Amino acid sequence: MSLQHQGIGMTSQRTRDRLISQLQELGIKNQVVLNVMRKIPRHLFVAEALASRAYENNSLPIGHGQTISQPYMVARMTELLIEDGIPENVLEVGTGSGYQSAVLASLIPRVFSVERISPLQEHAKLTLAKVGFRNINFRHSDGGWGWNACGPYEGILAAAAPSEIPQKLLDQLKVGAKLIIPIGEKGEQVLQRVTRTEPEFDVEVIEPVSFVPFLKGRV
Ligand code: SAH
């Protein structure tokens, strides 16, 4: 591992381990998720000026009015996604910094990630290549359409909150697959886990959350 990946001081392994302990205190139990997050250099997914804050349990700005998701939220959503086994393929809506993509790609053989803001996705691609990920496919698109050509998926995870679940995402779930998605307007969002149980969908409401809005179109 290069020195840059290892980090020093506020990005050292000790600092990262402290974040993992915090996640455990907050109720994250899945050791596979915790181990992966212990290793991923989150400081490389934010601007250098914010690197010293990368192992705090907070979201941070990544430009274009967007944020890198809070580590607790990344852990929780991943845990909910893989609870009954590791999916073969996953669609991620909202690449953002690429940090959640890195967590997913450490666990799941094939990750498909869509993002509506092109410069964010281009930057994430570079970061993820630098860190060494080869199993992520990217598409600059409105995730409300899903990514039909590569589906159906054994899991879908969205990092932005629509007011209701986009039908295309439901359509692109395999039977038995799970969609992890925040739903609702600012200030009243809840995280949901939707399982496709042909011919229906099971909806579990997990907890209140705060995500950036799911927007239409691409820029
Ligand atoms: N998991 C990412 C989260 C970034 S914030 C990270 O940790 O960095 C959510 C992202 O979703 C933003 O980059 C935003 O541009 C994107 N987004 C919002 N609505 C979208 C849509 N309809 N399609 C694709 N991406 C969307």
Side-chain angles (χ1 to χ4, degrees):
M1 199 187 265
S2 76
L3 258 185
Q4 195 191 13
H5 287 200
Q6 264 172 18
I8 46 163
M10 290 308 283
T11 62
S12 67
Q13 192 58 53
R14 261 181 69 191
T15 311
R16 296 182 205 183
D17 290 347
R18 265 202 298 275
L19 170 63
I20 301 306
S21 305
Q22 272 184 54
L23 298 181
Q24 284 175 303
E25 281 159 24
L26 291 168
I28 304 299
K29 293 194 177 64
N30 191 309
Q31 287 299 329
V32 175
V33 174
L34 291 166
N35 284 340
V36 159
M37 290 184 63
R38 196 187 297 281
K39 292 197 192 105
I40 297 176
R42 189 171 186 257
H43 65 283
L44 300 184
F45 292 83
V46 297
E48 240 173 84
L50 293 173
S52 66
R53 297 176 53 198
Y55 299 96
E56 293 170 9
N57 184 29
N58 287 323
S59 56
L60 292 167
I62 55 171
H64 304 270
Q66 304 304 318
T67 54
I68 182 173
S69 303
Q70 183 195 30
Y72 167 75
M73 224 47 253
V74 171
R76 187 76 184 108
M77 291 175 91
T78 310
E79 186 173 73
L80 288 164
L81 182 74
I82 68 168
E83 200 164 54
D84 296 334
I86 304 276
E88 183 56 36
N89 64 349
V90 160
L91 173 68
E92 176 190 40
V93 179
T95 316
S97 67
Y99 178 70
Q100 171 86 67
S101 326
V103 173
L104 292 173
S106 302
L107 296 165
I108 293 159
R110 284 174 301 130
V111 176
F112 298 87
S113 188
V114 298
E115 168 60 58
R116 62 181 291 278
I117 303 178
S118 178
L120 276 182
Q121 193 171 47
E122 290 306 315
H123 192 262
K125 273 189 204 173
L126 291 176
T127 311
L128 288 161
K130 198 164 72 179
V131 180
F133 290 97
R134 301 275 174 276
N135 56 335
I136 311 171
N137 296 277
F138 301 92
R139 183 175 152 96
H140 175 218
S141 152
D142 177 345
W145 295 99
W147 187 348
N148 194 37
C150 298
Y153 301 95
E154 293 189 1
I156 302 180
L157 189 151
S163 47
E164 44 189 86
I165 303 174
Q167 183 61 39
K168 297 274 190 218
L169 298 186
L170 294 174
D171 295 344
Q172 291 171 29
L173 282 175
K174 277 193 191 168
V175 174
K178 293 174 176 24
L179 163 65
I180 317 294
I181 188 166
I183 299 288
E185 308 301 329
K186 204 171 166 55
E188 46 195 57
Q189 294 170 6
V190 289
L191 186 63
Q192 297 193 0
R193 175 164 66 177
V194 183
T195 307
R196 182 164 203 165
T197 57
E198 195 83 321
E200 307 218 320
F201 294 91
D202 258 15
V203 179
E204 296 163 83
V205 174
I206 308 292
E207 60 195 53
V209 289
S210 175
F211 278 83
V212 297
F214 194 106
L215 300 173
K216 284 199 187 335
R218 50 176 207 163
V219 289

